[in-house]
Amino acid sequence: MKLQSNSDAETKEIGHRLGEHLKRGDVVCLYGELGAGKTTMVKGIASAFGINERDITSASFTLIAEYNVSVPFYHIDLYRISPDEVPELGLREYLGADGIAVIEWAERAEGEIPEQSIRVILHHIEDNTRLIEIKGIHMGTSD
Ligand SMILES: Nc1ncnc2c1ncn2[C@@H]1O[C@H](COP(=O)(O)OP(=O)(O)OP(=O)(O)O)[C@@H](O)[C@H]1O
Ligand SMILES: [Mg+2]
């Protein structure tokens, strides 16, 4: 499914809709260049679980942020990680268990990402325009 977003609010709405379709064990991988809108999308996804979007931050300090809501919700940001450091993170503990994991810069840990993960690719089109491709989940009629 491909959706166009014309503002960060729209990207959050799309994230929220995706969040409503998630279930325990789901892993969502976010791909896209710096500023593509990955963290913005995570804010929307998290809002579907009652997490305040202000609590979702760009993880310059926190690599893995855990929120205990109706399900354990993990926001993982691998921006500062090099692929050779990935094994030390113990990602398996967070992926595909009883929680929901949302991963920015997932390509840095591709070897540890479950094959059946949901993939979200954000393409920066123009200043406020993004093309958001969502694969691996059915969210409605038009995918
Ligand atoms: N349609 C849009 N969707 C999402 N963000 C948008 C959009 N239009 C403009 N923006 C702006 O683009 C920026 C996206 O930042 P964000 O932190 O979400 O990106 P990111 O992909 O997480 O970057 P990083 O790689 O640094 O983690 C924000 O400043 C946001 O306001
Ligand atoms: Mg980010």
Side-chain angles (χ1 to χ4, degrees):
M1 172 165 73
K2 286 185 187 171
L3 298 165
Q4 184 175 310
S5 161
N6 296 308
S7 65
D8 57 355
E10 276 187 42
T11 296
K12 285 176 198 169
E13 270 171 43
I14 292 167
H16 187 95
R17 269 179 55 205
L18 172 58
E20 288 176 338
H21 285 82
L22 295 177
K23 56 184 195 322
R24 285 175 186 272
D26 280 343
V27 176
V28 180
C29 299
L30 299 161
Y31 304 90
E33 62 197 70
L34 277 172
K38 300 180 294 299
T39 301
T40 305
M41 183 87 184
V42 178
K43 287 175 189 280
I45 297 172
S47 72
F49 294 90
I51 297 167
N52 189 321
E53 66 170 63
R54 278 170 301 204
D55 292 335
I56 301 286
T57 54
S58 286
S60 0
F61 304 106
T62 329
L63 207 68
I64 301 172
E66 179 174 350
Y67 304 82
N68 287 303
V69 281
S70 54
V71 297
F73 184 97
Y74 305 108
H75 175 204
I76 301 169
D77 191 332
L78 301 177
Y79 179 57
R80 286 168 190 279
I81 285 292
S82 67
D84 54 305
E85 291 173 306
V86 167
E88 298 158 28
L89 296 176
L91 282 182
R92 265 163 232 276
E93 190 185 322
Y94 306 99
L95 307 187
D98 60 342
I100 289 176
V102 182
I103 312 174
E104 295 188 49
W105 295 99
E107 57 266 54
R108 310 239 154 126
E110 209 51 57
E112 301 211 21
I113 304 293
E115 217 170 293
Q116 66 277 19
S117 296
I118 297 149
R119 319 261 172 184
V120 178
I121 305 127
L122 294 113
H123 304 273
H124 189 140
I125 307 294
E126 271 185 356
D127 291 353
N128 295 312
T129 309
R130 305 290 187 271
L131 186 68
I132 302 176
E133 232 181 307
I134 301 176
K135 301 180 186 175
I137 191 168
H138 289 273
M139 280 171 57
T141 47
S142 61
D143 49 345

